[in-house]
Amino acid sequence: MALRFYNSMGRKKEDFRPIVPGEVRLYTCGPTVYNYAHIGNFRTFLFEDMLRRVLAYCGYRVIQVMNFTDVDDKTIRDSQAAGEPLEEFTERYKQAFLEDVDTLRMQRAEHYPAATDHIHEMVEMVKALRDKGHTYEHEGSIYFRLSSYGDYGRLTNIEPAEMRPGDRVDSDEYGKDDARDFALWKAWCEEDGDVFWETDLGRGRPGWHLECSAMSVKYLGEHFDIHTGGVDNRFPHHENEIAQSCCATGEDFANYWLHSEFLLVENSKMSKSKGNFYTVRELVDEGWEPAVIRFCIQRVHYRAQMNLSREALEQSVVSVRRLREFSRRLEGGLKGEGRGAEVAGLIDKARSEFRACIEDDMNTSGALGHLFILVREANGLADAGKLDAKDGENLLAFMKECDTLFEVLREDRDESAEGKVAALVAERTQAKAEKNWARADEIREEIAALGYTVKDTPDGPVFSKS
Ligand code: AMP
Ligand code: ZN
């Protein structure tokens, strides 16, 4: 089977064929850096992390671009409220975002361009659109004239006449000829304070949609392979990007459009007032391991709405533990009689089923289903003493292969706690040598309080997380 994706453009699954063989150019709409990204945003970013891993798993080299929206109404409003210059304010949230990316074990994109570093490219794109007759000006702002692009609405399949301005149509755009037109360039107004650029288009700042069009051309070329975002990005953001890019360059834009569904929390939309609004940091502070959060989100197919609940996280704790315990069992070396051919057959079957699911529009839940069947069967064989060291090695190689996508086998290590435990274990050995049993017992309890257990073995004491 070949790799297939559900293309929002055309609304059907299609075989994936990159423009340049062996290489995939991928544009992923990034965060607006005015606050910590919430776990819903991270569902979309984790879907994109899975996408790039799946592409690599299928043998492609990936070039991913994710932009930072660091100038728009929200970043300006909140930096002013914080009394900080825009750049300083957004820099803090860019760094926080990258920290969260690392916490969740996401692979970093090849490029993270910021909108404010690409004003020149955006101005040039507006000039190209103006030269081709797609724009008009009103009091210094420049708008894209929707009626000048006959193909508008291809992605969402809505006729321009049916479109209603959504909530991301800015309320300050009163000067438009048609409510569906959108700003490419916003003339400076007093509320913007010191946020403006003096350019060939006058004093002002770019419109939100424009940045993705300008930065994708710069880093990926006019025509590239895949463009992604959350479902809410489809309209108007992605429709507008398509209109601008196709009109400015005269080329095709992205070949495949992939969109991830929303994440709900405890069955309802996240909102601050409902108290179900979470950042990654808050979930980690509550005690959820980042790898578990990652697994809980990535185990659900990206096109299905998902509900992040305490039960879902708890189930993921159990699943991740099963995968880790199985791997540890394999690493420990199996000493059974060995059933070489039979186990090799089980692994081959699991591998081909796992891969078929992954290649079928990234069916992660189906793929994991096959992995867990293998874990159950292999555990059964190991319990019956029917697996030898070689079987263990083969199984472990497959577990590691699957983990290139899910990345949950490695435990988050608390180095500081482990250092303390190691010191306590040494102190306990000393106490025992001195026959100070009361102190040795006391230390065992101190170790337990840190969440570890110590066991005495013929090779000396060993400790592990309890
Ligand atoms: P923003 O920072 O608002 O531009 O959003 C960043 C990304 O998060 C976009 O791709 C959105 O589509 C996505 N997004 C926002 N809310 C959710 C949610 N509840 N579930 C999934 N994706 C979301
Ligand atoms: Zn975008």
Side-chain angles (χ1 to χ4, degrees):
M1 254 230 330
L3 181 58
R4 288 153 63 78
F5 292 124
Y6 179 88
N7 194 347
S8 302
M9 183 70 86
R11 288 165 293 283
K12 60 176 181 340
K13 281 190 198 169
E14 289 175 20
D15 285 351
F16 176 67
R17 288 200 188 82
I19 297 166
V20 175
E23 182 181 294
V24 181
R25 283 170 291 149
L26 167 66
Y27 191 89
T28 49
C29 288
T32 308
V33 279
Y34 70 114
N35 210 328
Y36 297 107
H38 58 65
I39 194 67
N41 300 133
F42 270 102
R43 183 194 188 186
T44 295
F45 302 136
L46 278 165
F47 138 68
E48 289 152 349
D49 172 70
M50 181 55 76
L51 174 61
R52 58 173 288 140
R53 287 167 185 264
V54 163
L55 289 163
Y57 179 73
C58 294
Y60 295 106
R61 189 171 85 84
V62 180
I63 305 164
Q64 181 191 357
V65 177
M66 179 177 281
N67 65 295
F68 282 127
T69 299
D70 61 350
V71 57
D72 77 331
D73 294 351
K74 289 183 281 189
T75 43
I76 294 174
R77 180 195 65 201
D78 289 4
S79 66
Q80 286 170 347
E84 275 180 83
L86 181 70
E87 202 181 330
E88 227 172 77
F89 178 79
T90 55
E91 183 57 31
R92 187 162 66 244
Y93 293 113
K94 283 178 200 168
Q95 290 314 321
F97 174 78
L98 292 174
E99 282 165 26
D100 291 346
V101 161
D102 293 343
T103 300
L104 290 174
R105 303 180 177 184
M106 290 167 55
Q107 291 181 344
R108 289 211 179 188
E110 279 60 33
H111 303 278
Y112 287 103
T116 54
D117 291 331
H118 297 79
I119 303 293
H120 173 73
E121 286 80 353
M122 292 187 239
V123 168
E124 290 305 306
M125 188 168 255
V126 176
K127 288 193 323 200
L129 288 167
R130 187 173 64 186
D131 292 348
K132 293 181 178 180
H134 293 289
T135 68
Y136 60 92
E137 192 172 327
H138 181 84
E139 294 181 351
S141 289
I142 301 177
Y143 298 98
F144 185 90
R145 189 183 296 286
L146 219 100
S147 58
S148 73
Y149 180 54
D151 278 345
Y152 193 88
R154 272 187 299 152
L155 186 64
T156 36
N157 206 25
I158 39 176
E159 291 294 324
E162 293 168 22
M163 279 170 215
R164 304 259 181 289
D167 27 67
R168 281 195 99 147
V169 174
D170 301 330
S171 51
D172 58 343
E173 296 178 10
Y174 294 126
K176 296 190 289 191
D177 287 357
D178 184 320
R180 299 159 307 164
D181 295 343
F182 57 92
L184 297 164
W185 184 257
K186 295 185 169 192
W188 180 80
C189 63
E190 247 170 70
E191 292 87 78
D192 287 355
D194 59 0
V195 179
F196 60 81
W197 285 264
E198 297 286 0
T199 72
D200 294 351
L201 304 174
R203 172 185 288 200
R205 61 178 168 104
W208 170 48
H209 311 294
L210 184 63
E211 61 178 272
C212 292
S213 286
M215 291 195 267
S216 56
V217 175
K218 171 153 180 183
Y219 294 93
L220 301 175
E222 292 172 348
H223 182 203
F224 56 93
D225 299 294
I226 309 180
H227 196 312
T228 65
V231 276
D232 59 325
N233 282 157
R234 271 190 309 219
F235 175 76
H237 183 48
H238 288 163
E239 292 283 15
N240 291 355
E241 276 190 46
I242 294 169
Q244 293 160 160
S245 294
C246 293
C247 291
T249 68
E251 286 284 330
D252 284 343
F253 187 35
N255 283 351
Y256 301 85
W257 290 83
L258 273 58
H259 293 99
S260 59
E261 254 300 342
F262 264 127
L263 174 138
L264 307 175
V265 173
E266 304 289 352
N267 278 315
S268 61
K269 197 168 185 301
M270 255 183 302
S271 76
K272 289 230 157 94
S273 56
K274 283 189 198 141
N276 66 355
F277 182 96
Y278 293 105
T279 61
V280 173
R281 288 145 203 259
E282 285 164 341
L283 288 171
V284 172
D285 285 348
E286 262 186 31
W288 301 106
E289 191 193 325
V292 166
I293 302 171
R294 169 183 176 83
F295 186 82
C296 187
I297 291 177
Q298 290 187 325
R299 76 187 307 176
V300 178
H301 187 241
Y302 75 95
R303 281 195 296 116
Q305 270 199 352
M306 79 158 285
N307 185 33
L308 189 80
S309 61
R310 178 164 290 277
E311 295 79 65
L313 284 161
E314 278 163 3
Q315 274 167 19
S316 292
V317 170
V318 175
S319 303
V320 167
R321 193 182 300 146
R322 272 193 82 200
L323 295 174
R324 285 177 179 167
E325 280 174 3
F326 180 60
S327 301
R328 240 179 274 137
R329 181 173 199 183
L330 301 173
E331 271 162 358
L334 298 172
K335 297 187 181 65
E337 71 202 38
R339 284 259 190 124
E342 189 184 329
V343 177
L346 282 181
I347 299 174
D348 281 351
K349 182 163 168 284
R351 178 179 279 121
S352 66
E353 285 167 339
F354 181 91
R355 185 164 179 136
C357 285
I358 287 297
E359 286 184 341
D360 182 14
D361 193 34
M362 304 208 292
N363 178 2
T364 48
S365 54
L368 283 172
H370 293 295
L371 179 61
F372 280 109
I373 290 172
L374 178 72
V375 170
R376 197 186 59 222
E377 288 174 344
N379 264 328
L381 289 172
D383 292 344
K386 288 179 177 160
L387 296 183
D388 65 10
K390 186 74 201 149
D391 297 331
E393 268 172 41
N394 292 340
L395 283 161
L396 193 58
F398 178 59
M399 292 298 287
K400 289 188 174 161
E401 185 181 316
C402 299
D403 203 48
T404 61
L405 302 181
F406 292 97
E407 207 175 328
V408 292
L409 291 184
R410 176 170 51 87
E411 279 184 52
D412 277 308
R413 291 165 67 94
D414 181 349
E415 309 273 346
S416 59
E418 289 196 2
K420 269 188 223 151
V421 175
L424 285 168
V425 169
E427 203 189 323
R428 178 171 165 272
T429 307
Q430 180 67 25
K432 283 172 77 174
E434 291 164 3
K435 303 201 181 330
N436 185 351
W437 311 117
R439 177 67 192 135
D441 284 349
E442 218 174 78
I443 295 172
R444 181 187 279 279
E445 270 160 37
E446 284 173 38
I447 293 171
L450 288 168
Y452 287 79
T453 339
V454 57
K455 272 196 202 125
D456 292 306
T457 76
D459 305 320
V462 287
F463 63 90
S464 58
K465 254 188 163 159
S466 17

